[in-house]
Amino acid sequence: MNSLVANTTPDVEDYYPSRNGSASRCSERLDPVVYTSRDDPDSTYSNGPLSPSSIEDYERNGFVILDSIFSDAEVARFQRELELLRADPGLGSSDMVISEPGTNDVRSIFRVHELSDVFRKLSTDYRLAGAAQQLLGDQVYIHQSRLNYKPGFRGKEFYWHSDFETWHVEDGMPRMRALSMSVTLTANYAFNGPLLLIPGSHKLYLGCEGRTPENHFRQSLKKQVYGVPSDEALAQLVAEGGIVAATCNPGSVILFDCNTMHGSNSKISPFLRSNVFIVYSALSNRVVAPFCEREPRPEYICTRESIRPISVPKAAMMQG
């Protein structure tokens, strides 16, 4: 299938300004959360792996936790591939490998759907890509993929943030027509730094202060400073929605909207927490020029030059 090169026209309207030198601001979301309708017989609403109740939870809260979607055999296969990639000497010096702040411990490996045939097949699995198409109402492509390791004892936190704010400002994602799926490869306990989410936070957009530094991604992938909401804004979101810790079994899928506020605590327990993280965006929402005065982030972080729509028949579902 031919690649679709993204439009890089710089004069696309900025519906979600942030990091433009202005004070932080909170505004209503301008885009739908679910782009399909139960009442439309031609939509994908009822033609996908998600049940109506799961879709309703996702639309209301900005996320849904699907427990034990993948079998033990599939999880074991993903875990073996994870360890093979972490031990690969050819990746050791690659920019795609991000280490923990202050150590050489692997924090993340990017673009795993291109590095690994196992994770390429996972990224096109009907249970994932089919659900993305069901919610986004369009063909989808992979905006980003990565493995997150978060080792025991010293795995650092991921501070509160909306992914969309970064993808919009630094990658040029025009609208909120994207979502993330975290496939858990280990059990997520309350004490091993699980993903934390703020229900309902996806309905508001928090524009952030400051301006994006040059090559910001080199620092932000280790510890994000710019694109982080104010304490006051976060406190208000939590006062209204609370915080949910995504505790679940290995092989579960944490599916969340691109604008859902989330983060995770640092690790002091011996239990590691690893996952495969895949971002799906609607083909109609492919990236343009970044909404900041910086060069686009590298292709391994943001798919720009090699956008390929995913076609996922049910028969392509992976077998355990």
Side-chain angles (χ1 to χ4, degrees):
M1 186 175 295
N2 292 333
S3 299
L4 299 177
V5 179
N7 171 24
T8 54
T9 305
D11 57 356
V12 174
E13 185 173 354
D14 185 355
Y15 291 96
Y16 295 103
S18 184
R19 298 190 234 169
N20 58 3
S22 301
S24 61
R25 56 186 290 246
C26 178
S27 58
E28 294 288 334
R29 179 190 183 112
L30 301 176
D31 297 310
V33 178
V34 176
Y35 285 79
T36 56
S37 170
R38 182 187 299 207
D39 300 325
D40 181 358
D42 296 325
S43 81
T44 58
Y45 187 96
S46 300
N47 185 24
L50 296 176
S51 67
S53 62
S54 291
I55 295 175
E56 290 167 6
D57 286 346
Y58 172 82
E59 187 166 27
R60 179 177 59 255
N61 295 320
F63 62 91
V64 63
I65 302 170
L66 308 171
D67 204 28
S68 301
I69 295 299
F70 292 92
S71 69
D72 291 345
E74 289 172 309
V75 171
R77 186 190 314 160
F78 303 152
Q79 290 172 334
R80 287 194 299 270
E81 191 71 3
L82 174 148
E83 293 302 332
L84 286 172
L85 288 174
R86 178 158 58 175
D88 187 341
L91 286 175
S93 59
S94 169
D95 287 342
M96 290 183 286
V97 178
I98 310 301
S99 62
E100 289 282 356
T103 76
N104 291 321
D105 292 338
V106 174
R107 181 180 178 91
S108 302
I109 299 178
F110 279 80
R111 206 166 174 74
V112 292
H113 72 288
E114 296 284 355
L115 291 175
S116 160
D117 188 57
V118 170
F119 293 131
R120 179 190 62 77
K121 290 178 180 178
L122 173 63
S123 71
T124 62
D125 189 287
Y126 175 71
R127 289 164 286 185
L128 302 185
Q133 292 174 341
Q134 187 178 9
L135 293 171
L136 300 177
D138 193 0
Q139 285 186 285
V140 296
Y141 74 95
I142 297 175
H143 173 76
Q144 181 190 106
S145 70
R146 67 179 186 261
L147 288 169
N148 291 322
Y149 286 87
K150 203 155 190 183
F153 294 116
R154 296 173 183 84
K156 300 301 182 184
E157 72 279 356
F158 288 89
Y159 195 69
W160 291 111
H161 63 285
S162 154
D163 285 329
F164 176 76
E165 192 275 345
T166 293
W167 299 339
H168 180 70
V169 173
E170 298 188 43
D171 294 338
M173 181 179 285
R175 307 301 292 259
M176 294 182 185
R177 198 169 185 175
L179 53 81
S180 300
M181 297 196 192
S182 175
V183 180
T184 61
L185 304 186
T186 53
N188 281 12
Y189 303 110
F191 47 76
N192 72 333
L195 186 68
L196 304 175
L197 307 111
I198 302 178
S201 58
H202 62 305
K203 298 175 183 177
L204 297 172
Y205 178 69
L206 300 184
C208 300
E209 296 180 349
R211 291 187 182 275
T212 307
E214 188 172 357
N215 292 325
H216 177 237
F217 68 92
R218 297 191 183 281
Q219 172 61 34
S220 66
L221 297 178
K222 293 175 179 285
K223 181 178 181 180
Q224 190 164 354
V225 176
Y226 294 88
V228 172
S230 68
D231 291 352
E232 293 77 14
L234 287 168
Q236 184 61 37
L237 288 179
V238 173
E240 294 176 0
I243 297 174
V244 170
T247 55
C248 51
N249 293 311
S252 301
V253 177
I254 307 166
L255 194 166
F256 57 104
D257 177 80
C258 62
N259 189 48
T260 299
M261 197 64 63
H262 63 285
S264 63
N265 293 323
S266 60
K267 295 283 295 299
I268 58 173
S269 75
F271 304 101
L272 63 85
R273 179 176 71 83
S274 58
N275 62 78
V276 189
F277 183 80
I278 304 171
V279 180
Y280 297 91
S281 182
L283 192 61
S284 57
N285 192 45
R286 53 188 177 268
V287 293
V288 297
F291 290 94
C292 63
E293 297 176 352
R294 298 298 179 195
E295 292 295 316
R297 297 196 297 177
E299 185 79 5
Y300 65 84
I301 300 175
C302 163
T303 303
R304 180 178 300 275
E305 302 298 333
S306 56
I307 292 174
R308 299 180 184 90
I310 297 172
S311 178
V312 194
K314 289 187 180 181
M317 185 183 294
M318 296 177 67
Q319 299 300 313

